[in-house]
Structure formats: structure tokens, C-alpha cells
Amino acid sequence: MKRIFALFMLILLIMPSFLVSAEQNESSKDEENSEEEGSYSSKHEVVYSTLNAVGDQEEMYVINNFSIEEPGTIVDYGPYTNVQNLTNVSEIIQEDERVQIMAQEDEFYYQGDVEDKPLPWTIDVTYQLDGEEMIPEDLLGEDGELQLQINTDKNEAAEPFFFENYLLQMTITLDSDRYDNIEASEGTVANAGKDRQVTFMAMPDKEGSFSINADVTDLEMESIEIAAVPPSMAIDAPDTGAMTDDMSALSDATAEIHRGVGELKQGIAELNIGAASLYDGSSQYNNGVQELNTGSTELVEGSAAIQSSLATMSEQVGSSTGDMNVEDLQELEEGLNQLSGGLKDADTNLANLKDEFAEAYEALDQAIEAIPGYDISDENIEALYESGADEEVIDQLVETYQSAQTAKQTYTNEKEAFSDVSSSLETNAGSISELSDRLLNMVNQASGNLEGVDFADSIQELQQGLQDLSSNYNDFHSGLVEYTDGASELANSYQEIHGGISELTDGTTELEQGASELHEGTGELAASTSDIPEQMQSEIDQMVEEYDKSDVEPVSFVSGENEKVESVQFVIKTDSIKKEEEEQAPPEEEEEKGFWDRLLDLFQ
């Protein structure tokens, strides 16, 4: 017991001097370090900011971290309203925006509170429940269909560096017991324990608009957590060899289309020339056919008159054989001469008609043959539509091409009928000429035998000849009527064909103009796609450069005077929307024991 008491007294004697010595050593050490200038290799800033539930900025503070190289006094800058040492108990001296620190450890931390310094982003949060916009306080405990909308943009009142070079990552945690049917088209939805976590990303230098739709029961919501950091990965440019090869193939294809359209344009120009020639030939043919139809009517009427005259003369000669004298024969001779002259005129008209028809038919044939017989497949037409050319022009091209080929095919199918008309005209003209010659010969024979001839025998012979002539002429007249009926039908039908050829000519003229415009368009397309591979590579390089922030040099958020800034990060949180928890009585605190109590406890 005496030993314990002696030890206790010794401690009482030694302790004050020990405490004084420790305080003096610590003070001496601080004074020594404060007189020396320290250095640091890098500085890191983490900016913490709180927002209310709709995104309005409330509080902000910055945690500054230094990697110390040499212990001693270091200087930092910032518009802090208050500073706090988070590493040790050494004093931090602040004069305006200058902060003086006595740093000893390898890593030194201090906190600076900031007021009225805006974040680089504006963050706007709105809430709708069942389509009605509501303030957060009124949402608490409600049920319905919730739409949460977050819009981010550049804050014009802040330093633009961070908006241009930092990305925002927003995380919203939703209780699975309260939220169902969660949809976030611009973000990702993942499981986080029993909760669902929705994440959105706003790229550097871009405004963002993000929304969540969900069914909610007894609404409560955790804080929206927002982190802002520079993209941490360097973006490697992709291997674009295969793509540029494909783009080169596309460029070559558009050039080939342009050449093909040039050939098409040339073909359409030839088609237009052929269509114009066809129209000229068709006009001549149509005029000839119409004249043929008109002349045929006159021809049939004249032939009917000849047929009637022959029949009448044959009857008169037969009925007056015994009473006929020289004067009667002379009168008959004169009538036969007139009849023969009429046949000659009909023969001449028919010959002229035959020549006109032949000339018109030849012009038509040449015009039809001038239409190009290109075989343009459905695949070619589909490729033309896919080339990006004016579809209205392509429709005109296709319609004109089909009309031209239809006209050419129709003519080919009916060519034999046109030849038959020409042959029929040739045959009928020959028949009329033969009848005229026979009648004229008959008149000459009768005229030479009028004197000193037995009238009975001569008249009988004349009557027989007139009967034969009348019979033959009846056959000719029937054929002539049949022919003129066909000519009339041909004239009426060809009027419609000629109208179609006229429309075809108008169409090919417009078509040629459209083909010229199409050729100009494909020329522009070919010119614009000729450097697609280079353009694509340039766009990729620009995109990589836009989002690759790996070489961006960090700057201090709080002051441009700060040096060796290695990183700056932002941690932002909104207020949660939650019910207030009931306050619980704090546990009873045990009375803190003094030195003597603790010392006495050692001996108990």
C-alpha cells in the first residue's frame, strides 16, 4: 500500500512538468514549421452543393485536399465565408480570399464554406401527378401516375469551363415498395438491392432533358444525387476502314447512277426526236386516212351511179332491140363514153389516194421504227427511285417509256392491216382501170359497126357485153363498198391513235426536260457524295475531339489563382421528399470522469 501511494505521489509531481514540456515542444514545432515555406505536388477540390427539391441552389462548401511534398506554410485561395481544418488542430489564417495553412502530414484537408457562387449548371426539377403539376410538399403521401422531369442547361452566370468539359450523372433511387411500372426512355433502370435506381447522363456542352414515369403509392422520394466529373476515358478513334470502303462504294454507285441517267437523258432525247417524227408521220397518215374516208364516200356514190347506169343501159338495150336505130346507137355510144370517162376519173382518184396512203404509211413506219427499243427492267426503275431523284420526274419517265413501247408494239401487231389497206387500194385501182378499158373497147367496137351492120346482131352483142360488164361491175362495187367501210372504220380508229401519239409527243418533250433536271440532280448527288469518306472521317474525328476530354487541363472552381489543380469534382444533392421522423429522447449521457476518477479506477 505504501508503494502504491508513493507511485501516486510521484505521478502528481511529474505530470504538470510533463504536460508543460509537451505543450512547449508542440508549440516550438509549430513555430518552427510556420517559419518554413512548404510545398505540395497537387491539389484536389470536391465541391458539395445542396439544392431544394425543385433544383434551386441552397448551400455549398468545398473540401480541399493537398498532397504535401515539404511540410510548412502553403497558400490557397477562395471566397470562403468560413474555413475549417479537417486534418489537425493547427490554425488556418484567412485574409480576404487568401488562406494560409501550416501543413505537416502527407495529405492535408480543409473545408471552405461558400455563399452566392453559382454552379456551372442550372438544374430544373418539376413534378406532375396524374397530369397536374404539383410542388414537392403537396406530393408527399399521394398516389397516382408520377412524371418527374429534369432539365439541365448552362448557367450563364458561372464559369463556362465546367459546363463545356464536364458530364453530369444523375441518379434517382426509387423504393420498389412504392414505385411500379418505372419508365425512363433517356436513362437506364437497374436494381439496387430492393430499390430501383434510374441513371441519366448529360454530355459536356449539351443541355439535357430527362423524364421518369411511374405509378406511385404513398409517395416519398430520396434525394436526387448528381455527380459532375470530366469524362475519365480517352476515346479511341474507331477503325473506319470498312465504313470508308462502303462509303467509297456508295460514292462510286452514285457516280454510276449519274452516268446512267446521262445515258437515259440521251436516250430520251432520241425518243423525243423519234416521237416528234412519229407525230409528223402520224399527222400525214391521219390526213391521208381522213381524205381516204372522205374520198371513199364520193367514190362509192360515183360507183353506185355507174352501177345504176350500166343496169339501166343494159335493160334499155334489151327492151328496145327491135326499135333501135342509128340515132339511138349514137346516143348509147355517147352514154358509154361518159361512163368510161367516169371510170377513168374514179381510177385516177383511187390512184392518187393510193399514192397518198403509201406516202403517209411510209412516214408512219419510219417514225415508229425511230422509237428506241430499250429494255429497261423493273430493277433499273427501282434503282432510279432509290437514287433520291425527283419521283414526279421519274413517274413521267416511266409513263412515257411505257407509252412509247406500247405504241411501238401496237403498230408492230397491226402492221399487216396497214399493208392490207395499201394492197386493197392497188387491187381496186387496177379493177376500175380494167373496167374502163373494157367499156371503152366496147364503145369503139360498137361505133365502128354502126353503118352497114345488122342492128339486131350488133345490139344483141352490145346487150350481152353490157350485161357482162354490169355483172362484173356489181362484184367490183360490192368490194368497193366493203373496202370503204373498212377505210371509214380505220379513219375513226386512227383518230384516237393519232390523239395518243400527240399526247406521247407532249409527254416526251416534258420527259426530256425532266431528264435534264434529273441529270442535274444526280450530278449534284454524285458531287456531294464524291468526298463522303473524307467527310465521314472528319465528322468522326470531330465527334471524338468533342467528347474526348482526356487532355483537358483542370482549373480551380473557387479561384483562378490556385495552382497545381489536378482534379475538381462536384457532388450535388436535392432535398428528399420524406415524412419527418418522430423525435426520440436522447439517451442519458454518463457524466464524464475527471482525471482523478480515472486514475483511482486504475487501483480499484
Side-chain angles (χ1 to χ4, degrees):
M1 185 68 181
K2 290 181 179 180
R3 289 182 179 179
I4 295 173
F5 181 76
L7 179 62
F8 176 71
M9 293 303 293
L10 180 62
I11 292 173
L12 289 177
L13 293 172
I14 294 174
M15 181 64 71
S17 62
F18 174 79
L19 292 174
V20 170
S21 176
E23 289 177 357
Q24 290 175 347
N25 288 338
E26 183 68 28
S27 175
S28 174
K29 187 176 180 181
D30 286 345
E31 289 176 1
E32 181 181 353
N33 285 339
S34 65
E35 294 175 356
E36 296 180 2
E37 183 178 350
S39 65
Y40 59 92
S41 60
S42 62
K43 178 192 178 186
H44 303 270
E45 295 177 2
V46 181
V47 181
Y48 293 87
S49 180
T50 57
L51 313 176
N52 63 18
V54 296
D56 297 329
Q57 186 173 333
E58 293 184 332
E59 297 180 353
M60 178 186 290
Y61 65 91
V62 180
I63 302 297
N64 297 281
N65 164 227
F66 299 87
S67 296
I68 304 301
E69 288 183 323
E70 295 291 338
T73 302
I74 60 175
V75 177
D76 194 39
Y77 298 90
Y80 303 119
T81 58
N82 182 53
V83 293
Q84 181 180 353
N85 190 332
L86 302 178
T87 305
N88 54 40
V89 295
S90 62
E91 183 183 7
I92 298 178
I93 302 173
Q94 182 182 11
E95 295 179 2
D96 296 328
E97 294 190 6
R98 187 177 186 274
V99 180
Q100 182 175 306
I101 304 161
M102 279 70 77
Q104 299 175 14
E105 290 79 4
D106 291 340
E107 297 291 328
F108 185 87
Y109 296 85
Y110 85 93
Q111 174 180 325
D113 298 336
V114 183
E115 290 183 1
D116 301 325
K117 186 171 182 63
L119 286 167
W121 304 269
T122 61
I123 300 171
D124 182 35
V125 186
T126 58
Y127 307 82
Q128 286 188 0
L129 189 67
D130 295 330
E132 180 182 353
E133 186 168 340
M134 300 178 66
I135 60 175
E137 293 80 2
D138 294 342
L139 288 170
L140 190 62
E142 294 293 327
D143 304 336
E145 182 179 347
L146 175 68
Q147 182 184 59
L148 172 66
Q149 181 75 33
I150 305 174
N151 295 322
T152 64
D153 203 351
K154 178 180 180 181
N155 191 339
E156 298 294 342
E159 164 62 45
F161 173 84
F162 299 98
F163 176 79
E164 294 169 355
N165 295 285
Y166 277 47
L167 61 81
L168 289 179
Q169 178 175 300
M170 289 160 281
T171 304
I172 301 96
T173 301
L174 302 175
D175 187 343
S176 297
D177 294 335
R178 299 176 184 272
Y179 293 87
D180 290 318
N181 303 321
I182 300 170
E183 296 180 359
S185 58
E186 303 88 356
T188 58
V189 182
N191 292 323
K194 73 179 187 67
D195 298 327
R196 301 280 279 171
Q197 201 168 69
V198 183
T199 304
F200 298 113
M201 193 81 71
M203 299 305 291
D205 204 22
K206 302 290 182 183
E207 63 181 27
S209 181
F210 313 97
S211 63
I212 298 175
N213 290 281
D215 295 328
V216 62
T217 303
D218 190 18
L219 188 149
E220 285 191 6
M221 183 179 294
E222 298 290 344
S223 300
I224 301 173
E225 299 179 356
I226 305 170
V229 293
S232 58
M233 296 185 303
I235 302 176
D236 294 329
D239 182 7
T240 58
M243 287 191 293
T244 52
D245 289 344
D246 291 341
M247 291 300 101
S248 295
L250 173 63
S251 178
D252 293 341
T254 54
E256 187 64 29
I257 289 174
H258 179 57
R259 285 191 291 271
V261 172
E263 295 176 1
L264 176 64
K265 174 188 172 186
Q266 182 62 33
I268 291 173
E270 296 177 4
L271 173 64
N272 190 31
I273 294 172
S277 178
L278 171 64
Y279 178 76
D280 292 340
S282 178
S283 296
Q284 296 179 23
Y285 182 77
N286 184 53
N287 293 336
V289 168
Q290 299 306 320
E291 290 177 6
L292 174 63
N293 186 33
T294 303
S296 295
T297 302
E298 298 175 357
L299 186 62
V300 169
E301 292 175 354
S303 177
I306 293 173
Q307 182 186 30
S308 177
S309 298
L310 283 173
T312 301
M313 291 173 64
S314 179
E315 291 175 2
Q316 288 178 351
V317 170
S319 61
S320 58
T321 302
D323 300 332
M324 187 170 288
N325 53 31
V326 175
E327 288 79 8
D328 294 331
L329 286 176
Q330 289 176 343
E331 185 178 347
L332 178 60
E333 180 184 359
E334 183 179 351
L336 290 174
N337 277 323
Q338 292 178 357
L339 183 59
S340 176
L343 287 173
K344 283 293 184 183
D345 291 340
D347 180 54
T348 300
N349 291 335
L350 197 57
N352 291 336
L353 189 60
K354 176 179 72 67
D355 292 340
E356 291 175 358
F357 179 82
E359 183 179 349
Y361 173 60
E362 182 179 3
L364 177 65
D365 185 68
Q366 291 176 354
I368 290 291
E369 292 298 326
I371 297 176
Y374 298 125
D375 184 14
I376 301 177
S377 65
D378 292 340
E379 289 78 9
N380 297 138
I381 295 174
E382 186 65 27
L384 194 57
Y385 276 110
E386 293 176 355
S387 70
D390 189 335
E391 290 192 5
E392 184 176 352
V393 174
I394 298 176
D395 290 340
Q396 293 175 350
L397 285 171
V398 173
E399 182 180 357
T400 304
Y401 164 75
Q402 292 173 344
S403 298
Q405 297 308 310
T406 300
K408 187 178 181 71
Q409 186 61 43
T410 301
Y411 174 75
T412 301
N413 295 338
E414 301 298 330
K415 189 172 183 178
E416 185 177 353
F418 288 105
S419 299
D420 289 344
V421 172
S422 180
S423 177
S424 178
L425 284 172
E426 183 75 31
T427 301
N428 286 324
S431 299
I432 292 177
S433 179
E434 182 181 351
L435 284 173
S436 176
D437 292 341
R438 288 179 58 187
L439 184 59
L440 185 60
N441 185 48
M442 185 184 299
V443 171
N444 291 335
Q445 288 180 357
S447 175
N449 295 323
L450 287 177
E451 296 180 358
V453 175
D454 186 355
F455 280 102
D457 293 339
S458 298
I459 293 304
Q460 186 175 1
E461 185 179 347
L462 178 60
Q463 181 187 15
Q464 184 62 43
L466 287 173
Q467 288 177 350
D468 293 340
L469 180 60
S470 177
S471 176
N472 291 333
Y473 196 84
N474 286 337
D475 294 338
F476 166 76
H477 182 72
S478 298
L480 185 62
V481 170
E482 184 177 348
Y483 158 71
T484 54
D485 290 342
S488 176
E489 184 177 350
L490 174 63
N492 294 331
S493 300
Y494 196 80
Q495 192 72 25
E496 297 181 5
I497 295 176
H498 182 65
I501 291 175
S502 176
E503 293 178 2
L504 172 64
T505 305
D506 295 339
T508 54
T509 300
E510 294 179 4
L511 185 60
E512 184 176 8
Q513 295 173 352
S516 297
E517 295 175 4
L518 178 62
H519 190 242
E520 291 177 3
T522 55
E524 293 176 1
L525 177 63
S528 62
T529 56
S530 61
D531 59 346
I532 276 184
E534 292 79 9
Q535 290 180 357
M536 184 182 68
Q537 187 62 54
S538 176
E539 290 291 335
I540 292 174
D541 293 343
Q542 183 177 351
M543 186 180 300
V544 169
E545 182 180 353
E546 181 178 359
Y547 291 110
D548 183 3
K549 306 298 182 180
S550 59
D551 60 346
V552 173
E553 292 291 336
V555 299
S556 173
F557 172 71
V558 287
S559 174
E561 296 186 67
N562 291 330
E563 300 177 348
K564 299 180 182 180
V565 178
E566 189 168 296
S567 70
V568 177
Q569 301 179 42
F570 295 81
V571 178
I572 306 167
K573 292 181 66 174
T574 67
D575 290 340
S576 61
I577 305 175
K578 302 186 74 173
K579 299 174 182 176
E580 294 183 3
E581 297 181 0
E582 294 182 0
E583 294 185 1
Q584 297 181 353
E588 293 184 3
E589 295 183 359
E590 296 183 2
E591 184 178 352
E592 186 178 355
K593 293 183 179 181
F595 171 77
W596 296 111
D597 293 328
R598 292 197 298 272
L599 183 61
L600 289 174
D601 287 342
L602 295 175
F603 300 97
Q604 292 180 355

